[in-house]
Structure formats: C-alpha cells, structure tokens
C-alpha cells in the first residue's frame, strides 16, 4: 500500500505586486530583488483569506483527482498564518468544501509544513486508518511581514496549494521520507505570536512580525537540504541521477542553484515558481507541484524528490513515483 498523490490544485490571490511596484513604496529595486533572489513578482491578498484560498485550491485538487468531498477522510493544513487561532484553517476548509466525513487539523512546521502534513497523512494511510486525504500548504504571509523591513518583506507572497492523497496498491506513490528539526537555531527565522496581556504581566511592545537572519538561513538551507535529499533518495533505493525533478521549497533561486551543485545534478531539474510567486512558505511546494502537474510535466513512473525547509528550524524531504 502506498500513499499516492492523485490530484493537485492551487490558488493565488488576484492582486499581483511586481518588484517595480514595491520600489514605489520602499527603498528597493527590481535589480536588487531579482539578482539576489530570482523573485520578480508575488501575489498579495486583498479580499482573500488563508481559508478562502485553501478551499479554492482544495476544490481544484479534488476536481483534478475526480474525488468528491464526502470521500475525504482527513484534512491537514500546513500553515503558520491561519486566519484564526481557532477554528483551524483545516476545519474552515472542511466546512467550505462540505467534507463532512473528514477529521481536520492544522500543523505548523513553517516552510516545511506541507511536507510534514504529507508525512503525517502517509503514516495514517499506511496504517489503514484513513483512505483519502486532502493535504494543503496555505499562507497569508503579507499580514505577518514588517513592511518597513525591506530585507524580509520583498521575499514573501500569499497563496495556497493542495494535493489529494490516496492509499493505493501498486508501485506509484511515496517511496521514502526524511524529516528533521533544530530548535536550537530557531531564532534565525522567527515571528512572535501575540503578547500575553493577562493582569500579571506588562503588555509587551515586542515586534510581532517576521524577523530573519538571511545569511544564517541560507547556510542552513544549503547544508540541510542536500543532505536530507540524499538520505531520502538512498532510502528509496534510487540514485540522484534517477530523479526526474526536484520540487523544492521556493525560498531563493540561489539556494536552489546551490542544492543542484551540491547534488551534482542539472539546475533544469529544479522547476521554479518563485519568479512569479515569491516565497509562500508552506504553500510553495504544493503550488509548484500543481503548476508542474498542469503543464503536463509529471508523467507516470517519473521519480520526483520534494523538499521543504524553514522556520523552526525544520526540514522534510520525500521521494515519490508519480
Ligand atoms: N532592496 C535594496 N537593498 C536592500 C534590500 C532591498 N529589498 N534589503 C536589504 N538591502 C540592503 C541592506 O540594507 C544592505 O545594505 P548595506 O550593505 O548598505 O548595509 C545590503 O542590501 C545587503 O543586505 P543583506 O541583508 O546582507 O543582503 P544579502 O546579500 O544577505 O541578501 C538575502 C539578503 C537575499 C535574504 C540573502 O541573505 C539570502 O538569500 N538569504 C537566504 C534566506 C532566504 O531566502 N530566506 C527566505 C525566507 S526563509 C525560508 O523560506 C527558508
């Protein structure tokens, strides 16, 4: 029995903000952003919410899979920017799509959130607890950015991606997984939650926006990700050469280039969406996968390696046969 992705979907907000648009409201330029990151534009929410984009991505994934809402047993959303503390985004999605038979919950593993959610679903499906899962990565990062901090706010975007995953007999599906965390280095990429304002403490005026040490994050990514990918490929009984595509978290083109170099493989095996999406944390892997699927890039028996990495610090990789 394998957990196999049988459908994908995604949803980006209607409003596109280019690097030139940003240069009109802050001291930055297309040249600075695109040369250092590969990002040209991103989508930012106006009317959309994390849950509304998630529900739309979910419907598109279910259409793509040919699965009805009643067939979904499990919904997991990887997110660090749900609309509410409670109810979870997953419960909101359940209500919006009418998946009345599903159990639904969110998990937070930052940019690795979709990958962690996929692995949790994999375990449930392997054990026979559930048969059909809807796995999402969804973010409204624009609400947790400090729009006065040009070194972070230009990097991120909003959006949601989804995959329908089903337990099936056969060779296709998830072959191997690797996950890791390093809480000791968590402060290099952090965003405080709301401050405690109970009567026993003074209300803190600390920033509640994303704070990042870009160079430390870069060093983390270019060492942890190739190592995790190599481990997962080996666990799957494959070699790097046998992988057709590497669908990685879309943080920065330089990270992708460095991972390709360290794995001694071709850069053109690393499809990108960051040029038009920016970094959408947990949503970036499923959005990329959906774009690849809709372009017809994913053919039966292809071997695809996925990897997410980011805040926590956290990272997770998977190898699947499509
Ligand atoms: N526009 C113009 N200038 C800027 C901007 C901007 N948007 N942001 C910063 N600068 C300036 C800084 O003020 C600084 O100026 P100074 O030299 O006069 O002091 C200069 O550019 C260099 O700033 P650094 O922060 O040192 O820039 P760096 O070259 O490290 O590039 C970057 C920053 C692109 C974030 C890089 O560190 C990086 O690639 N990090 C990887 C981390 C990453 O991609 N994180 C994404 C989110 S985390 C994740 O998803 C895993």
């Amino acid at each position: 029995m394998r957990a196999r992705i049988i459908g994908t979907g995604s949803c980006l907000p209607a409003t596109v903000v280019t690097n030139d648009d940003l240069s009109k409201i802050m001291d930055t330029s297309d040249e600075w952003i695109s040369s250092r990151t590969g990002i040209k534009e991103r989508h930012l929410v106006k009317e959309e919410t994390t849950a509304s984009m998630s529900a739309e991505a979910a419907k598109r994934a279910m259409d793509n899979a040919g699965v009805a809402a009643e067939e979904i047993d499990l919904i997991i959303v990887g997110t660090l920017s749900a609309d509410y503390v409670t109810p979870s985004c997953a419960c909101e999605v359940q209500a919006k799509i009418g998946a009345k038979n599903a159990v639904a919950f969110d998990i937070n593993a930052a940019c690795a959130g979709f990958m962690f959610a996929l692995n949790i679903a994999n375990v449930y499906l392997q054990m026979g607890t559930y048969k059909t899962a809807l796995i999402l990565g969804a973010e409204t990062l624009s609400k947790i950015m400090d729009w006065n901090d040009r070194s972070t706010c230009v990097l991120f975007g909003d959006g949601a991606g989804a995959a329908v995953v089903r337990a099936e007999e056969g060779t296709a599906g998830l072959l191997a997984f690797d996950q890791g965390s390093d809480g000791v280095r968590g402060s290099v990429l952090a965003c405080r939650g709301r401050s405690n304002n109970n009567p026993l403490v003074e209300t803190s005026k600390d920033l509640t926006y994303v704070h990042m040490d870009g160079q430390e994050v870069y060093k983390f990514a270019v060492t942890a990700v190739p190592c995790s990918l190599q481990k997962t490929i080996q666990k799957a009984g494959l070699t790097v050469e046998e992988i057709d595509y590497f669908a990685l978290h879309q943080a920065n083109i330089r990270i992708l280039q460095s991972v390709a170099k360290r794995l001694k493989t071709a850069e053109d095996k690393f499809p990108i969406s960051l040029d038009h999406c920016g970094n959408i944390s947990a949503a970036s892997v499923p959005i990329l996968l959906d774009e690849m699927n809709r372009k017809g890039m994913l053919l039966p028996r292809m071997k695809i390696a996925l990897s997410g990495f980011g805040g926590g610090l956290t990272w997770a990789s998977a190898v699947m046969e499509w």
Side-chain angles (χ1 to χ4, degrees):
M1 191 72 78
R2 291 249 160 86
R4 179 170 163 242
I5 293 182
I6 58 168
T8 61
S10 59
C11 175
L12 294 169
T15 308
V16 175
V17 178
T18 65
N19 293 344
D20 286 333
D21 293 333
L22 288 180
S23 72
K24 289 177 191 136
I25 55 170
M26 66 184 77
D27 184 12
T28 190
S29 64
D30 177 51
E31 198 282 318
W32 194 97
I33 301 169
S34 47
S35 65
R36 279 171 179 77
T37 69
I39 298 165
K40 289 284 195 191
E41 57 189 38
R42 73 287 294 140
H43 295 244
L44 300 183
V45 297
K46 278 187 179 167
E47 304 297 324
E48 303 89 345
T49 64
T50 307
S52 74
M53 294 186 290
S54 298
E56 193 51 45
K59 284 180 197 158
R60 291 173 188 172
M62 290 189 306
D63 273 357
N64 185 239
V67 161
E70 294 74 23
E71 294 176 70
I72 305 286
D73 313 303
L74 171 69
I75 302 173
I76 312 177
V77 181
T79 183
L80 51 80
S81 53
D83 303 313
Y84 302 114
V85 175
T86 192
S88 66
C89 183
C91 282
E92 283 199 274
V93 171
Q94 176 188 27
K96 285 179 192 291
I97 66 174
K100 58 182 183 192
N101 299 316
V103 60
F105 59 91
D106 291 356
I107 58 124
N108 178 349
C111 307
F114 174 82
M115 297 301 300
F116 273 58
L118 186 62
N119 196 25
I120 295 168
N122 183 35
V123 175
Y124 277 126
L125 266 47
Q126 293 285 338
M127 289 178 71
T129 314
Y130 302 117
K131 183 166 169 47
T132 307
L134 179 61
I135 306 304
L136 296 105
E139 306 285 8
T140 307
L141 297 174
S142 56
K143 72 184 174 194
I144 54 168
M145 287 301 132
D146 178 353
W147 288 93
N148 293 311
D149 176 7
R150 64 180 181 168
S151 67
T152 52
C153 69
V154 302
L155 305 174
F156 296 92
D158 301 329
V164 178
V165 186
R166 184 166 262 177
E168 286 190 354
E169 298 291 348
T171 58
L174 281 168
L175 306 178
F177 232 99
D178 174 61
Q179 284 176 289
S181 309
D182 179 4
V184 172
R185 285 193 287 167
S187 62
V188 304
L189 179 52
C191 179
R192 278 184 66 110
R194 53 175 59 198
S195 303
N196 193 337
N197 66 347
N198 83 31
L200 307 178
V201 293
E202 265 184 51
T203 304
S204 164
K205 295 271 189 290
D206 284 355
L207 283 180
T208 57
Y209 298 112
V210 168
H211 172 78
M212 179 182 74
D213 180 337
Q215 286 168 11
E216 286 304 313
V217 173
Y218 183 88
K219 282 187 227 157
F220 150 68
V222 299
T223 49
V225 177
C227 176
S228 172
L229 280 166
Q230 244 152 358
K231 223 191 275 183
T232 318
I233 293 165
Q234 201 175 8
K235 272 191 212 167
L238 298 169
T239 61
V240 169
E241 294 70 43
E242 289 174 287
I243 301 297
D244 295 286
Y245 288 115
F246 294 84
L248 266 51
H249 169 50
Q250 301 285 295
N252 185 308
I253 192 79
R254 289 179 174 176
I255 293 176
L256 302 181
Q257 289 164 341
S258 172
V259 173
K261 199 169 163 196
R262 283 167 197 244
L263 291 176
K264 299 189 177 61
T265 191
E267 272 177 37
D268 62 10
K269 283 189 174 185
F270 290 68
I272 60 159
S273 60
L274 59 80
D275 56 338
H276 58 280
C277 291
N279 176 347
I280 321 183
S281 191
S284 71
V285 171
I287 290 172
L288 178 67
L289 208 54
D290 184 48
E291 289 189 0
M292 292 166 70
N293 193 16
R294 280 166 207 277
K295 283 180 192 159
M297 292 166 68
L298 300 173
L299 305 175
R301 303 196 66 83
M302 271 188 169
K303 309 293 187 296
I304 318 295
L306 314 174
S307 192
F309 48 94
L313 300 171
T314 54
W315 60 94
S317 304
V319 170
M320 61 177 68
E321 180 176 312
W322 195 255

